[in-house]
Amino acid sequence: MKGLRKILPLALLALAPAVSLAAPGIPAFSVQTGAGGGQTYTLTLQVLALMTALTLLPAILLMMTAFTRIVIVLGILRQALGAGQTPPNQVLLGLALFLTFFVMSPVINRIDQSAYQPYTAGTIDGPTALTRAEAPLKEFMLHQTRENDIATFVHIAGGKGYAAPLDVPLTVLVPAFVTSELKTAFLIGFLLFIPFVIIDLVVASVLMSMGMMMVSPVLISLPFKLMLFVLVDGWALVMGTLAQSFYH
């Protein structure tokens, strides 16, 4: 038995090359050209492309959707309230994420119907699906982007303009879209700040007139700002205004 235990691992090790040659492995890279001129890729190459796309997903979410405007406005609102870290960052990011899905749902549905479903059904190839998916996203971004921002980046890129709005490449449209979103977010944040600044000024002037200069105005104004925000149903107003600002 001891001799068998020593011989058996050696025999398995000797048979390993033969087994590996007999059983063909999964090809790492294989491209096949179809009858219509389209190209199909092996499963391993599709998985590699999917993993690469997942690494770019945070950048796509930040730079090509409504997430930037929403999260900036929510951050400015929290600062205007003066409540410190309440609501916490996790709550604001989660709220911004799901509100982004709500705003982008028409675009996602169009991409699903025009690109994803035909691709999974095998009626179109990968490049055609990407081209079809790009059009609804471009239309959304163009609707939110100011013309002067696009003209600025076209001038920086050395271009001379484009025949149609959808001809603007993503390399120009994405920075112009983000610039416009930052402007819009700060404008909305400015309008949100005004009522809370007025409350701070009123409370500070009352404390000064009463000679209570050692009392922090923020400590006194915070309950009034919270009460005002709750009485006017502020969260529903802010969420509704943000969602409607993308489809006005």
Side-chain angles (χ1 to χ4, degrees), residues 77-95:
L77 174 62
R78 183 176 66 178
Q79 187 176 0
L81 285 171
Q85 293 298 316
T86 303
N89 292 330
Q90 293 85 346
V91 175
L92 290 185
L93 289 175
L95 184 59

Side-chain angles (χ1 to χ4, degrees), residues 127-158:
T128 305
L130 288 177
T131 303
R132 290 188 180 183
E134 184 179 324
L137 194 58
K138 271 189 174 183
E139 290 180 3
F140 171 80
M141 296 169 66
L142 286 168
H143 185 69
Q144 310 300 326
T145 307
R146 296 174 174 83
E147 294 183 2
N148 57 345
D149 292 330
I150 296 178
T152 299
F153 285 97
V154 169
H155 176 71
I156 294 173

Side-chain angles (χ1 to χ4, degrees), residues 11 16 21 26 31 56 62 65 72-73 106 126 129 141 146 148 150 152 168 189-190 198 201 206 212 218 231-232 244:
L21 291 175
I26 299 176
V31 181
L56 298 176
L62 288 174
T65 64
I72 290 176
V73 170
M141 296 169 66
R146 296 174 174 83
N148 57 345
I150 296 178
T152 299
V168 180
F190 169 75
I198 293 175
L201 291 175
V206 170
M212 303 174 63
V218 177
L231 288 178
V232 300
Q244 293 175 3

Side-chain angles (χ1 to χ4, degrees), residues 19-36:
V19 173
S20 61
L21 291 175
I26 299 176
F29 182 84
S30 176
V31 181
Q32 298 178 354
T33 303

Side-chain angles (χ1 to χ4, degrees), residues 2-223:
K2 292 182 179 179
L4 182 61
R5 291 178 181 177
K6 293 181 180 179
I7 295 173
L8 185 59
L10 295 177
L12 292 176
L13 184 63
L15 290 175
V19 173
S20 61
L21 291 175
I26 299 176
F29 182 84
S30 176
V31 181
Q32 298 178 354
T33 303
Q39 293 180 341
T40 58
Y41 305 94
T42 58
L43 179 61
T44 52
L45 190 60
Q46 293 178 6
V47 171
L48 178 62
L50 178 62
M51 296 302 294
T52 304
L54 288 178
T55 59
L56 298 176
L57 185 60
I60 295 174
L61 178 65
L62 288 174
M63 300 291 103
M64 302 175 68
T65 64
F67 184 82
T68 300
R69 182 191 303 185
I70 295 172
V71 75
I72 290 176
V73 170
L74 293 179
I76 293 176
L77 174 62
R78 183 176 66 178
Q79 187 176 0
L81 285 171
Q85 293 298 316
T86 303
N89 292 330
Q90 293 85 346
V91 175
L92 290 185
L93 289 175
L95 184 59
L97 183 63
F98 280 97
L99 188 59
T100 301
F101 289 150
F102 174 78
V103 172
M104 300 296 296
S105 58
V107 180
I108 296 174
N109 292 334
R110 289 183 57 190
I111 293 175
D112 177 66
Q113 295 175 3
S114 62
Y116 180 72
Q117 292 184 5
Y119 175 71
T120 54
T123 57
I124 59 175
D125 55 1
T128 305
L130 288 177
T131 303
R132 290 188 180 183
E134 184 179 324
L137 194 58
K138 271 189 174 183
E139 290 180 3
F140 171 80
M141 296 169 66
L142 286 168
H143 185 69
Q144 310 300 326
T145 307
R146 296 174 174 83
E147 294 183 2
N148 57 345
D149 292 330
I150 296 178
T152 299
F153 285 97
V154 169
H155 176 71
I156 294 173
K160 297 182 179 179
Y162 301 93
L166 289 178
D167 294 336
V168 180
L170 289 177
T171 54
V172 174
L173 181 57
V174 171
F177 170 74
V178 175
T179 303
S180 294
E181 287 294 283
L182 290 174
K183 291 180 181 178
T184 306
F186 278 100
L187 286 174
I188 297 175
F190 169 75
L191 296 177
L192 287 174
F193 238 107
I194 292 177
F196 300 109
V197 171
I198 293 175
I199 294 177
D200 288 332
L201 291 175
V202 171
V203 171
S205 62
V206 170
L207 291 177
M208 288 288 291
S209 63
M210 296 175 62
M212 303 174 63
M213 293 176 292
M214 300 301 294
V215 180
S216 174
V218 177
L219 183 63
I220 305 300
S221 63
L222 178 58

